[in-house]
Amino acid sequence: MQPNNSVTEFVLLGLTQDPMRQKIVFVMFFIFYMGTLVGNLLIIVTIKFSRTLGSPMYFFLFYLSIADTCFSTSIAPRLIVDSLSAKKIISYNGCMTQVFALHIFGCMEIFVLILMAIDRYVAIRKPLHYPTIMRRQVCIILIVLAWIGSFIHSMAQIILALRLPFCGPNLIDHYCCDLQPLLKLACMDTYMINLLLVSNSGAICSSSFVILMISYFIILRSLRNHSAEGRKKALSTCTSHIIVVILFFGPCIFIYTRPPTTFPMDKMVAVFYTIGTPFLNPLIYTLRNAEVKNAMRKLWHVRITSESKR
């Protein structure tokens, strides 16, 4: 597992070295993480037990919330604990595990967002054939393929990480383990590995963003042929998706599609897509979606009523 390594653990420098700011980081990200867990788990439970949210869109939203929860959990707990620790140590194996988890769940989120765009495209462009094209079996196959694709991507990332020899400094100028900060510590020429990183993660982020933007442009153009009520409902759903796509892909493209250089803002940009987006997704999909809000009210009203009768 450790080729030519004299390093068995790394020290994460975190977001700040100032004790007062570290306490602010603890409070702020603890709130963000709790909000992420509560919001996404609420969506998961609501879709799972609600009879009105059985359409493919909510099937995919269910898996987006799972990916968000796991993605945030692979990063946030360590960041929160480390903010109160004097020395933020992570073992070599723990670091590699975090790289794997970060990429498998992050890539899964990308693929699910693409599937949600496909679902909206078919619903708006092919409304008569929608039930046939997006039937349950097809949705399940698409989700399985998304998990397989995410696993393959993450395996490619971890293979690149395991090939890096570390024989000198073990200070990672970041709050989590990822290939970009690890490349700075490697005792080798990392030009080719960075090229592979850009062609893997960078290509996935960039191409997915372009595909999503083109698909939503086509969807929005086709809304001109719909009724005013249909346009309003479709616009509400598509606007939520577009907001999520921009919030997630903007920082990802900034981090993964450039030469091996670092900027002071890198950590804050990474915070936005690793912590911020999983926190915002439940708010965007519930506050802007009347069906989800109504399903939540009905579900929890029924549960509270049944508990009170006992």
Side-chain angles (χ1 to χ4, degrees):
M1 291 290 290
Q2 301 179 28
N4 302 319
N5 271 351
S6 60
V7 173
T8 58
E9 63 183 25
F10 298 99
V11 178
L12 297 166
L13 296 182
L15 289 171
T16 178
Q17 301 297 305
D18 182 80
M20 181 56 70
R21 290 181 179 177
Q22 285 182 345
K23 292 175 183 177
I24 295 172
V25 167
F26 171 81
V27 173
M28 185 167 63
F29 288 103
F30 180 81
I31 293 171
F32 269 93
Y33 181 57
M34 288 297 104
T36 299
L37 288 183
V38 171
N40 282 294
L41 290 176
L42 188 59
I43 289 178
I44 290 169
V45 172
T46 300
I47 294 174
K48 181 71 176 176
F49 294 102
S50 175
R51 296 178 181 177
T52 61
L53 302 179
S55 68
M57 182 177 73
Y58 298 112
F59 176 80
F60 294 134
L61 179 57
F62 177 84
Y63 283 96
L64 179 67
S65 293
I66 290 176
D68 271 338
T69 303
C70 296
F71 184 55
S72 182
T73 300
S74 68
I75 302 295
R78 172 166 286 278
L79 171 60
I80 293 165
V81 172
D82 283 349
S83 63
L84 296 181
S85 303
K87 202 170 186 181
K88 307 163 181 59
I89 296 174
I90 184 171
S91 67
Y92 177 89
N93 289 336
C95 186
M96 296 301 109
T97 301
Q98 191 173 58
V99 171
F100 181 83
L102 176 68
H103 283 274
I104 190 171
F105 297 120
C107 192
M108 183 61 184
E109 184 163 352
I110 290 173
F111 288 151
V112 174
L113 287 172
I114 292 174
L115 293 178
M116 293 175 80
I118 293 171
D119 172 70
R120 290 301 85 204
Y121 178 87
V122 175
I124 293 170
R125 297 278 291 183
K126 309 278 186 181
L128 297 178
H129 298 93
Y130 178 73
T132 305
I133 297 173
M134 298 303 295
R135 60 188 183 275
R136 191 74 172 183
Q137 295 91 332
V138 173
C139 294
I140 292 172
I141 291 171
L142 290 173
I143 283 294
V144 170
L145 290 175
W147 278 116
I148 293 172
S150 301
F151 179 78
I152 292 171
H153 162 74
S154 194
M155 283 301 298
Q157 298 298 101
I158 200 68
I159 289 170
L160 290 178
L162 290 172
R163 290 182 61 189
L164 297 174
F166 302 101
C167 52
N170 65 341
L171 298 177
I172 300 178
D173 187 15
H174 214 286
Y175 59 86
C176 68
C177 284
D178 199 4
L179 271 176
Q180 288 283 19
L182 285 173
L183 287 176
K184 294 174 62 179
L185 304 181
C187 305
M188 63 177 290
D189 182 4
T190 58
Y191 175 79
M192 284 304 300
I193 291 184
N194 187 76
L195 200 61
L196 292 171
L197 173 63
V198 170
S199 63
N200 187 346
S201 297
I204 288 175
C205 290
S206 302
S207 60
S208 299
F209 180 72
V210 171
I211 291 169
L212 287 166
M213 287 296 99
I214 291 173
S215 66
Y216 281 119
F217 176 75
I218 296 171
I219 290 170
L220 293 174
R221 279 197 65 187
S222 67
L223 290 178
R224 294 177 299 178
N225 303 323
H226 287 66
S227 63
E229 184 179 348
R231 279 199 304 269
K232 184 179 178 182
K233 184 177 180 181
L235 273 172
S236 176
T237 303
C238 290
T239 303
S240 299
H241 293 189
I242 291 169
I243 291 171
V244 169
V245 166
I246 293 172
L247 291 177
F248 184 80
F249 282 94
C252 279
I253 292 170
F254 177 80
I255 294 293
Y256 292 111
T257 57
R258 65 170 201 246
T261 55
T262 57
F263 299 103
M265 66 181 76
D266 281 358
K267 286 189 279 188
M268 291 310 301
V269 171
V271 162
F272 201 71
Y273 77 87
T274 57
I275 308 294
T277 305
F279 172 76
L280 292 173
N281 279 355
L283 297 176
I284 292 169
Y285 281 108
T286 54
L287 293 178
R288 296 186 57 85
N289 193 309
E291 287 184 64
V292 175
K293 288 190 286 187
N294 291 333
M296 283 183 179
R297 290 193 195 101
K298 289 178 182 178
L299 179 65
W300 297 109
H301 175 72
V302 169
R303 287 181 171 267
I304 290 170
T305 303
S306 61
E307 289 293 330
S308 63
K309 285 181 180 179
R310 291 179 186 176

